[in-house]
Amino acid sequence: MELAYENRNTDLRVCPRFRGERHDTQTLGSFQNITSENFTIGDISAAVFRGVVENLCEMMEGVLENGSTLYAVGIAERPILKYYVQDLLGDYVLHDKEVTAAFGAVMFDIDNGL
């Protein structure tokens, strides 16, 4: 993960839909902008992490539009994930290494009046 963080600004792009999407099983994954300079374990790892976070963001379309707060559980100890989540979602995300999935579920219920 250190190499991925060191290469977090790579221009290599990975679309990690290697088994399709539920709504479109024909959509497949891809690599873009591959060069001899960025074909390294650090760049590839960073691109995969970014691709996963981007894919999750695409699945959450509409969630952010209603002003919801997202609780990112388990990313505080993973700087590369924390970087991409903050970069793509900004202030919509709260994260803390002490927060558990159960806390996130309770906060979701409270925020949504459940």
Side-chain angles (χ1 to χ4, degrees):
M1 284 202 194
E2 284 182 37
L3 287 175
Y5 189 77
E6 291 170 14
N7 292 280
R8 64 191 176 273
N9 295 316
T10 184
D11 59 346
L12 181 64
R13 296 290 184 255
V14 174
C15 178
R17 295 177 182 112
F18 301 116
R19 294 192 176 199
E21 294 287 319
R22 288 183 184 183
H23 64 278
D24 181 5
T25 57
Q26 300 304 309
T27 301
L28 302 176
S30 64
F31 283 79
Q32 299 171 339
N33 302 330
I34 298 173
T35 66
S36 57
E37 290 81 30
N38 67 16
F39 196 64
T40 67
I41 191 68
D43 285 275
I44 293 169
S45 298
V48 168
F49 282 120
R50 179 178 31 220
V52 167
V53 173
E54 287 173 343
N55 193 28
L56 290 171
C57 289
E58 287 173 19
M59 288 190 278
M60 293 187 303
E61 278 186 39
V63 171
L64 299 179
E65 294 168 6
N66 68 15
S68 294
T69 299
L70 303 174
Y71 298 91
V73 178
I75 68 167
E77 302 87 19
R78 294 163 186 84
I80 188 66
L81 288 175
K82 183 176 177 181
Y83 174 81
Y84 288 132
V85 166
Q86 280 296 141
D87 186 49
L88 295 168
L89 297 173
D91 294 334
Y92 289 103
V93 178
L94 299 177
H95 49 79
D96 186 322
K97 64 182 178 178
E98 303 299 323
V99 173
T100 65
F103 175 82
V106 168
M107 294 307 295
F108 176 83
D109 286 350
I110 290 170
D111 287 349
N112 290 288
L114 301 176

